[in-house]
Amino acid sequence: MSVSRKYLFKEIEIHSTNHRSFFSSQVTLVASNCHQILSLPRLLPDLDELSFLLFSSHAFGLPDLTTAMPSSPKLHHHGRPSPPSPRRSTKLVVSCCLLVGFSGFILGFVAILGPSRGHRCSGVEPRLIRVSWDRGGGDGGGGGFSVRDGEKVLRRRKVKAFVGIQTGFGSVGRRISLRRTWMPSDREKLQRLEEDTGLVFRFVIGRTNDGAKMMELKKEVSQYDDFLLLDVEEEYSKLPYKTLAFFKAAYALFDAEFYVKADDDIYLRPDRLSLLLTKERSHSQTYIGCMKKGPVFTDPKLKWYEPLGFLLGKEYFFHAYGPIYALSAEVVASLVALRSNSVRMFSNEDVTIGAWMLAMNVHHENNKELCQPECTPSSIAVWDIPKCSGLCSPEKKLLELHQEEICSDSPTVASDD
């Protein structure tokens, strides 16, 4: 798909077919050489943290929204002009041909020798698009967001799973190591991985008021084109809010069978993760992870301190470790319908998700291959359990693990021998 170098300013209306709530917001869609930016600034409390998304138009399978833009207004001349003389007309035609030919030569020469640069466009007429919440799912898909451009419905891209790799502004080194190991840094190689596995991988990050950090992130996005940005504050204490915003954004963009939350400090085998998610299941509402139970920490000096521990008792309920877990589409559809201020947010993100799963009729699928301390012929995710909630020295350890044949080059399915 070709991406037009235009800045498009559009208005978006979001409404529910099953609820009385109706609200509007502004959306800005920016098309450039590599990226499109969908910005949904929150105007009312009903519009949750799904508000600022950065994605590749090619990777997300979006249509070119610039093709139907109105042309420039025609020039209207008042009065009847006198017909030009044949001689004058001939000179005019010859001059125009020479000018057009010379201009084409110059533009072609510059295009060949010079780097491509973005162009700013002004005077572009806005169009109205609509995003609707439809629980019915006319095509039997179970409902979700649909985007309308006039009468045309723009479908979400269908994939096996979307994997959001949660990252932060202090994790540049981790991302460098990941791109040198199991997650390709090259756009074509990443696309090939996604085609082979059916999984889409993107780094997920919020925002900060630090302008310098945002500028550095912008450069990284421009270089690698593998991010999903959310309009939530990137802060450790607000990870539950970011996680909910992530699931809402991923669900709005992709029609996936599973949505996977992963951290940027684990060594992952995408091929084996794909195999796990492809398995036949009798439960349509599934919560997959390496499950645990443990004591609730009520001491403020401890890392995993839970201020709302008095609501939980002495021991946590059965829930997945935070470094990686997957939720089926029906489960995420239920999360999408939640308002951020209507559900309990605990201090720890994995506990928060686990608490919501208890309130839903989901099947807990416990898989220890998602929390292996070292690579094995069947390991899916490797991290330093129980010492760290990930790899203890991820930047170094990721590279070391990738050098081990059993980590990077062993078969997807273990041999029977």
Side-chain angles (χ1 to χ4, degrees), residues 167-308:
T167 190
F169 288 94
S171 298
V172 176
R174 295 184 184 184
R175 294 193 292 274
I176 292 174
S177 293
L178 281 176
R179 294 191 185 104
R180 292 174 61 186
T181 56
W182 62 264
M183 183 176 175
S185 60
D186 180 77
R187 176 70 253 174
E188 292 183 1
K189 291 181 179 179
L190 179 59
Q191 185 176 349
R192 194 178 307 126
L193 173 65
E194 294 173 351
E195 291 173 352
D196 291 342
T197 62
L199 313 180
V200 173
F201 299 90
R202 293 294 180 273
F203 288 109
V204 180
I205 194 170
R207 55 170 165 76
T208 178
N209 293 326
D210 190 323
K213 290 182 179 179
M214 291 300 293
M215 285 299 297
E216 289 301 313
L217 177 61
K218 183 179 179 181
K219 294 177 183 177
E220 189 177 349
V221 168
S222 178
Q223 181 178 358
Y224 295 105
D225 194 25
D226 55 4
F227 279 85
L228 175 70
L229 286 121
L230 304 175
D231 191 18
V232 293
E233 188 175 357
E234 186 63 48
E235 187 177 319
Y236 185 80
S237 63
K238 296 183 179 180
L239 283 182
Y241 295 92
K242 177 186 176 182
T243 303
L244 180 57
F246 155 66
F247 282 120
K248 290 187 176 188
Y251 190 85
L253 293 169
F254 290 93
D255 180 8
E257 298 174 24
F258 283 92
Y259 299 85
V260 182
K261 178 265 177 184
D263 288 344
D264 61 3
D265 55 356
I266 63 173
Y267 188 89
L268 186 66
R269 281 290 296 258
D271 53 340
R272 292 175 186 165
L273 177 61
S274 176
L275 201 63
L276 170 66
L277 300 179
T278 305
K279 190 175 70 172
E280 288 288 335
R281 291 176 173 82
S282 58
H283 300 273
S284 60
Q285 299 186 73
T286 305
Y287 172 36
I288 307 174
C290 179
M291 302 294 171
K292 64 172 179 175
K293 294 179 72 174
V296 176
F297 297 108
T298 56
D299 185 351
K301 298 178 181 179
L302 298 176
K303 180 180 180 180
W304 309 115
Y305 166 61
E306 178 53 69
L308 298 176

Side-chain angles (χ1 to χ4, degrees), residues 311-364:
L311 295 175
L312 299 170
K314 294 183 178 181
E315 187 178 58
Y316 282 118
F317 38 80
F318 201 55
H319 67 286
Y321 277 102
I324 183 170
Y325 55 84
L327 304 179
S328 64
E330 284 194 22
V331 176
V332 176
S334 299
L335 295 183
V336 168
L338 297 175
R339 297 184 188 179
S340 295
N341 60 357
S342 67
V343 290
R344 177 78 64 185
M345 296 284 187
F346 291 99
S347 178
N348 298 303
E349 160 262 328
D350 56 346
V351 173
T352 301
I353 294 294
W356 296 345
M357 296 303 100
L358 283 181
M360 300 179 184
N361 186 28
V362 304
H363 172 67
H364 290 60

